Amino acid sequence: MRSNRDDDWDDEAPPPPPFADAPPPPPDVLPQGEVYDWYIRGLDLLEGGNPAAAVTLLTHAANSEPESRSVREALARAQFDSGLYDEAVQSFSWIISINPADDYAQFGLGLAAAKIGDLPSAVEHLALAAAMRPDITHYSTALRGARAALAASR
């Protein structure tokens, strides 16, 4: 006898992700060089005022070296400078999940959270950054701004 369980929809294998059977990209689509080269070129692009191009290159680097904190920080900075604030929040959050004492990641997450309108989170992370490094005045300046924006929004 066949049970009703055999007819359940959740017994079926999930469909493959889109393009799972697609061949890998041709070599001319991937950046030339190694991950370190991508990282250095990405930093150069970011410092040269081209954060969108840096995001593209640093995303390749982050996909190849997903555990690299320095690549993630550079990517987060490029995302922020490109106006990709939700993505920057994710990247800075990843860094903080690995090292909660990273004052720069706390600062970056606070700024990105403020840009997307999450002022309570912005104040929390900016306060942590300012407490960790009271010698860095732009941390406390950003915290005062976020606190004022939060108070004004209530």
Side-chain angles (χ1 to χ4, degrees):
M1 174 176 210
R2 196 171 155 192
S3 74
N4 288 340
R5 187 176 186 283
D6 292 337
D7 294 332
D8 288 346
W9 61 269
D10 60 350
D11 286 343
E12 296 177 19
F19 308 109
D21 58 346
D28 63 334
V29 173
L30 295 175
Q32 297 297 311
E34 302 295 321
V35 175
Y36 181 75
D37 300 320
W38 304 342
Y39 170 70
I40 295 300
R41 287 199 322 249
L43 286 177
D44 288 344
L45 288 165
L46 182 59
E47 296 304 319
N50 197 344
V55 167
T56 301
L57 200 53
L58 291 166
T59 298
H60 284 293
N63 288 339
S64 295
E65 292 289 336
E67 300 301 314
S68 173
R69 188 217 150 284
S70 56
V71 168
R72 290 287 184 120
E73 180 182 299
L75 176 59
R77 288 176 47 216
Q79 290 166 329
F80 183 89
D81 288 354
S82 294
L84 303 171
Y85 303 120
D86 288 315
E87 292 85 348
V89 164
Q90 292 173 357
S91 294
F92 282 124
S93 294
W94 181 88
I95 295 168
I96 291 169
S97 75
I98 302 302
N99 181 9
D102 187 321
D103 62 286
Y104 184 79
Q106 293 285 356
F107 174 68
L109 178 54
L111 291 180
K115 290 289 192 177
I116 62 171
D118 186 357
L119 296 175
S121 180
V123 168
E124 174 187 349
H125 292 285
L126 291 169
L128 287 168
M132 287 180 210
R133 294 292 307 272
D135 57 310
I136 301 178
T137 57
H138 58 271
Y139 286 8
S140 56
T141 301
L143 174 59
R144 282 192 301 276
R147 283 182 173 155
L150 180 60
S153 71
R154 291 184 175 165

